[in-house]
């Protein structure tokens, strides 16, 4: 029996998740073998290569937005979870406090230091190995080595400015002018080169430093000082949020809006206000449309009608479904296999590189699974 032929319009309609006033319908994917009698939906690599699409909407070092079109939700969600929790980054893990007379307690300051996003030569960060912590089974761990630990120091003391007396007489009350190191920032962290790290992290451009140098760590007054040594290691967000390379990584499905009956005049203006700006537009009804029988525009030449402009901007608030005058005139939905990603990098990787890193990690996971299955079959 030959496979049944289905129109492209029908295939596209099957991908629409219906968004109703109080329910969501057609949620489950149906393009699987055996779901539709006589139709062949077996997964094919060549077909996937021809239909899968990546579209970039925005690409800056800290923010990127792109669409993955033609993949299953399980794969899109795998990328999202890897972005959040499985791409290794560098962060402060151990803090050795030699002296801290500031008002901020040792443990609070250590926590603030751990959350500082660090950056440096990408090749050097890739070269660093994972630090293996001591355990009951492995009391020595990997030990502190030049290829698994980055050493940084913070040594500052608050003193009066050279012209303190002069400023004080003028009534100056800004502590940043009256004192040196009144505010301690992330830029005050000093990277200490160790062993082979000189190959990768030498020079100002390549040295390990904070992504944002003006992160405020602590405020001090004359007589207070901080003297600390910090050890930075590579980790993943699944271990601690400080290792996550993203501030957020989310996706949403592309909205769809179908106007099934004409919306004209004041109703069209009200309809446009139900959506974010730019989603719905207003156009004049042409003479041809007004003269065509059954168009719904008869006798309305020159009036405004509502048309769909850009569904990408829609938030699917369902506001239009609250108004009885639009009942039966509009259908809302989402495209099940069109995922719009938003990735905000913390700075150690550029935002577009993060997605490529997630692809590499998913490939490694698949290779590990294949090796495991091969071992089972032996």
């Amino acid at each position: 029996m030959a496979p049944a032929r289905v129109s492209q319009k029908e295939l596209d309609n099957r991908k629409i998740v219906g968004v109703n006033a109080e329910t969501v319908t057609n949620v489950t994917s149906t393009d699987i073998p055996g779901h539709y009698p006589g139709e062949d939906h077996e997964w094919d690599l060549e077909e996937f290569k021809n239909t899968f699409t990546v579209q970039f909407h925005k690409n800056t070092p800290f923010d990127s937005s792109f669409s993955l079109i033609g993949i299953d939700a399980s794969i899109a969600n795998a990328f999202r979870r890897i972005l959040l929790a499985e791409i290794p980054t560098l962060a402060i893990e151990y803090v050795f406090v030699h002296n801290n007379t500031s008002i901020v307690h040792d443990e609070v300051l250590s926590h603030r230091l751990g959350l500082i996003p660090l950056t440096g030569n990408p090749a050097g960060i890739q070269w660093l190995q994972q630090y293996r912590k001591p355990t009951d089974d492995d009391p020595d761990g990997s030990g502190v080595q030049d290829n698994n630990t980055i050493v940084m120091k913070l040594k500052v003391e608050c003193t009066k400015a050279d012209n303190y007396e002069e400023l004080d007489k003028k009534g100056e009350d800004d502590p940043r002018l009256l004192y040196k190191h009144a505010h301690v920032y992330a830029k005050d962290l000093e990277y200490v080169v160790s062993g082979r790290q000189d190959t990768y992290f030498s020079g100002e451009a390549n040295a390990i430093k904070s992504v944002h140098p003006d992160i405020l760590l602590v405020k001090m007054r004359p007589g207070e000082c901080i003297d600390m040594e910090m050890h930075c290691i590579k980790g993943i967000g699944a271990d601690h949020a400080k290792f996550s390379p993203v501030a957020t990584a989310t996706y949403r499905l592309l909205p769809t809006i179908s106007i099934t009956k004409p919306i004209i005049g004041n109703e069209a203006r009200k309809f446009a206000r139900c959506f974010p700006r730019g989603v719905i537009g207003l156009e004049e009804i042409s003479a041809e449309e007004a003269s065509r029988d059954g168009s719904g525009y008869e006798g309305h030449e020159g009036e405004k009608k509502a048309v769909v402009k850009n569904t990408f901007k829609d938030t699917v608030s369902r506001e239009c479904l609250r108004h009885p005058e639009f009942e039966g005139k509009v259908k809302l939905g989402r495209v099940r296999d069109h995922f719009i990603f938003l990735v905000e990098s913390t700075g150690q990787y550029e935002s577009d590189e993060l997605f490529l890193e997630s692809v590499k990690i998913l490939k490694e996971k698949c290779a590990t699974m294949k090796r495991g299955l091969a071992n089972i079959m032996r």
Side-chain angles (χ1 to χ4, degrees):
M1 179 178 177
R5 300 193 65 172
V6 184
S7 67
Q8 187 61 45
K9 183 178 180 180
E10 171 64 20
L11 292 175
D12 292 340
N13 287 337
R14 290 176 182 177
K15 296 179 181 179
I16 303 300
V17 177
V19 178
N20 310 309
E22 297 180 358
T23 61
V24 179
T25 56
N26 196 29
V27 176
T28 307
S29 178
T30 59
D31 53 347
I32 54 177
H35 187 87
Y36 295 101
E39 295 183 21
D40 181 17
H41 290 283
E42 182 178 354
W43 192 83
D44 182 74
L45 178 59
E46 291 303 319
E47 182 180 352
F48 175 76
K49 288 180 180 179
N50 293 331
T51 57
F52 176 66
T53 307
V54 179
Q55 295 178 353
F56 258 88
H57 311 299
K58 178 183 179 182
N59 187 16
T60 66
F62 289 100
D63 299 280
S64 68
S65 178
F66 55 89
S67 290
L68 302 183
I69 307 169
I71 64 171
D72 191 74
S74 59
I75 305 300
N77 197 47
F79 287 134
R80 183 190 66 85
R81 292 173 65 92
I82 291 171
L83 284 165
L84 288 170
E86 297 190 51
I87 297 177
T89 62
L90 192 69
I92 294 172
E93 178 73 0
Y94 299 105
V95 179
F96 303 92
V97 182
H98 302 306
N99 193 12
N100 176 24
T101 58
S102 72
I103 195 172
V104 181
H105 292 187
D106 294 351
E107 57 271 27
V108 177
L109 181 54
S110 298
H111 185 262
R112 292 178 66 85
L113 289 167
L115 293 175
I116 296 174
L118 302 175
T119 186
N121 183 1
I125 294 176
Q126 291 285 348
W127 167 77
L128 289 173
Q129 303 296 310
Q130 296 279 119
Y131 174 81
R132 193 171 68 254
K133 296 182 178 180
T135 62
D136 293 338
D137 298 329
D138 184 15
D140 295 329
S142 61
V144 177
Q145 308 290 336
D146 61 353
N147 67 342
N148 65 15
T149 303
I150 296 292
V151 177
M152 303 189 79
K153 290 185 177 181
L154 176 61
K155 189 171 184 178
V156 290
E157 181 179 1
C158 183
T159 59
K160 292 181 179 178
D162 296 335
N163 59 342
Y164 172 81
E165 300 295 339
E166 179 184 346
L167 293 172
D168 188 44
K169 288 179 181 179
K170 294 179 179 179
E172 179 62 60
D173 59 358
D174 188 345
R176 292 170 295 180
L177 300 177
L178 291 170
Y179 314 121
K180 296 178 181 178
H181 293 300
H183 291 182
V184 180
Y185 297 98
K187 62 187 175 185
D188 295 315
L189 298 177
E190 179 185 354
Y191 165 60
V192 181
V193 179
S194 303
R196 292 170 291 174
Q197 294 174 12
D198 183 60
T199 305
Y200 296 98
F201 302 117
S202 61
E204 181 66 25
N206 294 323
I208 299 296
K209 55 186 175 294
S210 171
V211 174
H212 307 287
D214 294 329
I215 296 175
L216 180 63
L217 301 178
V218 62
K219 296 180 180 180
M220 299 197 300
R221 291 299 177 264
E224 297 178 354
C225 67
I226 297 174
D227 186 3
M228 294 178 167
E229 180 177 304
M230 293 142 285
H231 287 186
C232 315
I233 65 172
K234 288 179 75 172
I236 58 175
D239 296 332
H240 194 286
K242 67 184 178 184
F243 291 113
S244 180
V246 295
T248 185
T250 63
Y251 65 74
R252 61 188 177 98
L253 298 178
L254 178 70
T256 63
I257 304 170
S258 299
I259 298 176
T260 56
K261 294 181 180 179
I263 302 176
I264 304 169
N266 290 331
E267 283 191 2
R269 296 180 182 89
K270 182 177 180 180
F271 185 72
R273 291 195 297 270
C274 292
F275 297 87
R277 185 174 298 175
V279 175
I280 300 297
L282 300 176
E283 294 182 357
E284 284 192 2
I285 299 172
S286 65
E288 180 185 353
E289 290 173 319
S291 62
R292 191 186 315 129
D293 291 337
S295 67
Y297 298 118
E298 298 94 329
H300 294 283
E301 181 182 350
E303 294 187 40
K304 297 291 185 181
K305 65 175 180 177
V307 295
V308 179
K309 287 290 188 180
N310 187 0
T311 61
F312 186 89
K313 298 180 179 180
D314 188 28
T315 57
V316 195
S317 66
R318 313 187 202 192
E319 171 66 20
C320 63
L321 302 181
R322 296 177 58 248
H323 303 282
E325 58 265 45
F326 302 133
E327 186 175 353
K329 295 183 178 181
V330 60
K331 287 185 178 180
L332 304 181
R334 289 184 181 271
V335 182
R336 188 187 297 112
D337 66 346
H338 188 139
F339 299 88
I340 304 170
F341 274 77
L342 175 63
V343 179
E344 296 181 12
S345 172
T346 57
Q348 195 162 121
Y349 293 88
E350 292 196 0
S351 55
D352 57 339
E353 293 176 351
L354 282 168
F355 176 67
L356 299 179
E357 290 295 320
S358 70
V359 173
K360 291 178 186 176
I361 291 174
L362 186 59
K363 287 176 66 177
E364 291 171 1
K365 286 174 172 285
C366 294
T368 301
M369 183 177 179
K370 287 179 66 177
R371 288 194 298 270
L373 290 173
N375 292 333
I376 292 175
M377 297 301 293
R378 286 178 181 172

